[in-house]
Amino acid sequence: MPDGGMLSRPHHGEAYFVVLPDHEAAPAVAAALRTATARTITHASGRPWLVGHWSDEEMTVAEAGATRLAVIGRCAGDAGRLAAEASRLRDLAHLDRLARTLPGSFHLVAALDGRLRVQGTASGLRLVFHTRVNGLTVASDRADVLAAATGAELDVRRLAVRLLWPVPHPLPHLPLWPSVTAVEPGHHLTVAADGVTTAHRRWWTHPEPVRTLSDAAEDVRPTTTCRGPAARRPTCVARSIWSGRRRSHRWSTRTC
């Protein structure tokens, strides 16, 4: 792989993941993206599907034959529901319902009949990027990981725009490396069975304003109630202009 100059692969223990198609070229591409401590989850074929670094609490995977579903992040859904979804999945488009109803902040990744679907959150808190590595489409939650793998050049004009506040739409989600493509929040990435062809499709739209604030509050209140130790640690989120991802920093100013 080319040397990305000031870019490098993730450091020891640094969180990231990449998604690879079920393709004969995937093992070689995965080797270029894998760190010494990286973890791997495979397709039914044994080829690498997910490669990266994550904790057990951040990864839930379900398998049903050759079908794979993964929720990466914080999600209140259980593994049983994910397994049931995997067993009846016949079309990647059917995951729209699951994505809209699972509570939490997470990436949703699916593999079905050689095709991939990768998405982040509608809010843009968790983003998705993709590029081609050795001719194969690879997706990730981090633009800098993909840029380092391909030796991509940084666009200093895009970097300069990031110094503005607020950054005008749609520039906040534009990667700093032109060869890396971002998936707009509220859309998902699909990769065809050839491991190359991609498409972006919308899975979320703003709801119509048909309810009053007081009525809607009754639905929102349960999701904002602390339910355990993890919920008592509020977080703030800041964007890293280098990686195209967002980082969480603990607050200590209040607890529930």
Side-chain angles (χ1 to χ4, degrees):
M1 292 292 168
D3 184 358
M6 65 179 175
L7 291 172
S8 63
R9 294 188 299 179
H11 299 295
H12 176 79
E14 194 172 11
Y16 77 99
F17 71 85
V18 294
V19 187
L20 299 110
D22 191 3
H23 190 277
E24 61 183 9
V29 172
L33 294 162
R34 184 182 292 116
T35 64
T37 58
R39 309 174 72 172
T40 300
I41 298 174
T42 63
H43 289 280
S45 65
R47 294 167 177 156
W49 175 41
L50 302 175
V51 176
H53 192 280
W54 54 79
S55 66
D56 291 338
E57 294 76 19
E58 294 172 315
M59 176 69 73
T60 303
V61 176
E63 304 177 359
T67 302
R68 299 287 188 273
L69 281 180
V71 171
I72 309 170
R74 295 187 177 274
C75 177
D78 58 56
R81 178 181 178 184
L82 201 62
E85 294 286 348
S87 65
R88 60 174 171 256
L89 186 63
R90 299 294 181 269
D91 188 331
L92 290 176
H94 294 167
L95 290 175
D96 288 1
R97 178 187 54 81
L98 177 66
R100 288 193 294 262
T101 56
L102 275 179
S105 174
F106 54 85
H107 287 87
L108 178 62
V109 186
L112 175 69
D113 297 331
R115 294 171 289 125
L116 296 177
R117 169 169 169 159
V118 188
Q119 68 183 71
T121 55
S123 67
L125 179 62
R126 294 181 183 267
L127 300 173
V128 174
F129 306 91
H130 63 94
T131 192
R132 290 188 184 178
V133 181
N134 285 359
L136 198 66
T137 294
V138 179
S140 178
D141 64 328
R142 290 179 49 175
D144 61 330
V145 170
L146 300 179
T150 59
E153 300 249 341
L154 183 74
D155 187 327
V156 295
R157 296 170 298 179
R158 295 188 182 187
L159 176 59
V161 168
R162 293 293 183 87
L163 301 179
L164 300 174
W165 185 258
V167 180
H169 180 79
L171 299 179
H173 300 125
L174 193 66
L176 301 182
W177 301 272
S179 62
V180 178
T181 302
V183 179
E184 185 178 350
H187 293 68
H188 67 259
L189 166 71
T190 58
V191 183
D194 61 6
V196 178
T197 307
T198 62
H200 296 185
R201 294 187 173 88
R202 179 179 290 277
W203 65 271
W204 184 85
T205 56
H206 294 279
E208 293 295 325
V210 296
R211 301 180 65 187
T212 65
L213 287 176
S214 58
D215 287 342
E218 294 305 315
D219 291 336
V220 174
R221 185 173 293 109
T223 66
T224 59
T225 301
C226 293
R227 299 178 179 177
R232 298 191 188 101
R233 296 193 296 270
T235 59
C236 65
V237 179
R239 168 177 288 278
S240 163
I241 64 172
W242 290 108
S243 67
R245 63 195 171 110
R246 300 193 181 204
R247 296 172 175 158
S248 293
H249 302 276
R250 296 294 179 193
W251 285 357
S252 57
T253 55
R254 74 171 181 89
T255 57
C256 295

